[in-house]
Amino acid sequence: MQRKLSVKEFKRGLLAGIPIALGYLSVSFTFGIMAVSCGLSWWQALVVSMTNVTSAGQLAGVQVMMLPGQYIPMLISQCTINVRYSFMSISLTQKVDPSFHGAKRAIAGFTVTDEIFGVASREEKLNFAFFEGLSALPYFGWALGTLGGALLGQVLPEQIMLALNMGLYAMFIAIVVPEMKKSKAVVMVVGIAVAISCIFKFVPGFKEVPAGIAISVSAIVASLVMAICKPVEEAENE
């Protein structure tokens, strides 16, 4: 009975991960092109994607790789850009079932991305079988997209490449908007994050701040403000 339930949950996760995987194909395709243009071979680009699974982190990392000896800037940029995944993982631990422990949590932590977190966080109780299915297709979609971009990107017209660059933004919109419709608090936190991002983008003095730091500050400050102003009340134990 337990095995049948796990298989059912795994299939449900696979279905939920299909839209993410399709979006990752286009986004990672762009990364594959950029990686090769920066001097990496196709297999090196593929290894980077299969061992990182982070869009902004990989793009920033490849750019830093072009400058020999820039290890400290790379460390700072990667920690700044990717620290959000730690917050996401901590958040998900609050709703996992008892069987989701040990090595399973380590595997889940490796595959947590913005989009996977967005879908997983909607679950009232998160089990490993569902999360495993949810992560599988996006992971391979990210790897296959990178491989395709590294091998075929140079032959595609520029107009198509510009269109593919919009894939990441479309995924974020598809995940955030439904949650905004359900909660005014989500609308407020998104509005605060957008306002802070605009400050970093357009206000003199803030424009020089690296994008990774700007993203982290926007997310942390918006979350902190809403946590203070609109805290989530814990359900009382019956």
Side-chain angles (χ1 to χ4, degrees):
M1 182 65 181
Q2 183 64 34
R3 181 176 178 80
K4 289 184 178 180
L5 179 60
S6 296
V7 172
K8 181 179 179 181
E9 287 295 298
F10 180 79
K11 290 181 178 179
R12 189 168 69 87
L14 282 177
L15 291 175
I18 290 176
I20 301 176
L22 293 176
Y24 279 4
L25 279 171
S26 61
V27 177
S28 60
F29 195 96
T30 305
F31 169 74
I33 294 173
M34 178 180 178
V36 172
S37 67
C38 289
L40 296 184
S41 64
W42 67 267
W43 67 267
Q44 289 174 326
L46 179 60
V47 169
V48 169
S49 279
M50 295 187 71
T51 56
N52 287 271
V53 200
T54 164
S55 55
Q58 289 180 209
L59 291 172
V62 168
Q63 291 175 335
V64 176
M65 286 179 187
M66 296 178 63
L67 304 174
Q70 298 295 312
Y71 301 115
I72 299 302
M74 179 181 290
L75 176 63
I76 294 174
S77 66
Q78 292 304 304
C79 288
T80 302
I81 294 172
N82 295 324
V83 69
R84 68 186 189 277
Y85 296 128
S86 298
F87 301 142
M88 294 176 189
S89 298
I90 293 172
S91 176
L92 290 179
T93 62
Q94 306 306 304
K95 55 173 56 185
V96 298
D97 64 23
S99 64
F100 206 144
H101 59 80
K104 294 180 179 180
R105 292 199 178 193
I107 295 172
F110 171 72
T111 56
V112 167
T113 64
D114 303 89
E115 296 75 25
I116 290 176
F117 169 77
V119 175
S121 62
R122 299 177 189 174
E123 296 288 304
E124 293 185 4
K125 202 68 176 177
L126 185 62
N127 63 77
F128 182 69
F130 172 81
F131 192 89
E132 188 179 28
L134 175 63
S135 305
L137 292 180
Y139 176 77
F140 288 108
W142 186 257
L144 289 175
T146 299
L147 179 61
L151 294 176
L152 304 174
Q154 301 300 325
V155 302
L156 292 178
E158 182 179 357
Q159 291 80 358
I160 294 180
M161 296 311 307
L162 291 175
L164 290 175
N165 287 335
M166 299 300 295
L168 184 61
Y169 304 103
M171 283 191 296
F172 283 133
I173 293 173
I175 290 173
V176 173
V177 170
E179 295 301 314
M180 293 175 65
K181 292 181 179 179
K182 298 178 184 178
S183 172
K184 291 183 179 179
V186 176
V187 175
M188 294 174 66
V189 74
V190 170
I192 294 173
V194 170
I196 297 174
S197 296
C198 289
I199 292 175
F200 282 110
K201 180 66 176 179
F202 300 108
V203 176
F206 290 91
K207 296 169 64 175
E208 291 74 21
V209 176
I213 296 178
I215 292 172
S216 297
V217 171
S218 300
I220 293 172
V221 172
S223 300
L224 180 62
V225 170
M226 290 307 300
I228 296 174
C229 298
K230 294 286 184 178
V232 176
E233 298 182 1
E234 295 184 1
E236 296 183 0
N237 296 325
E238 297 184 356

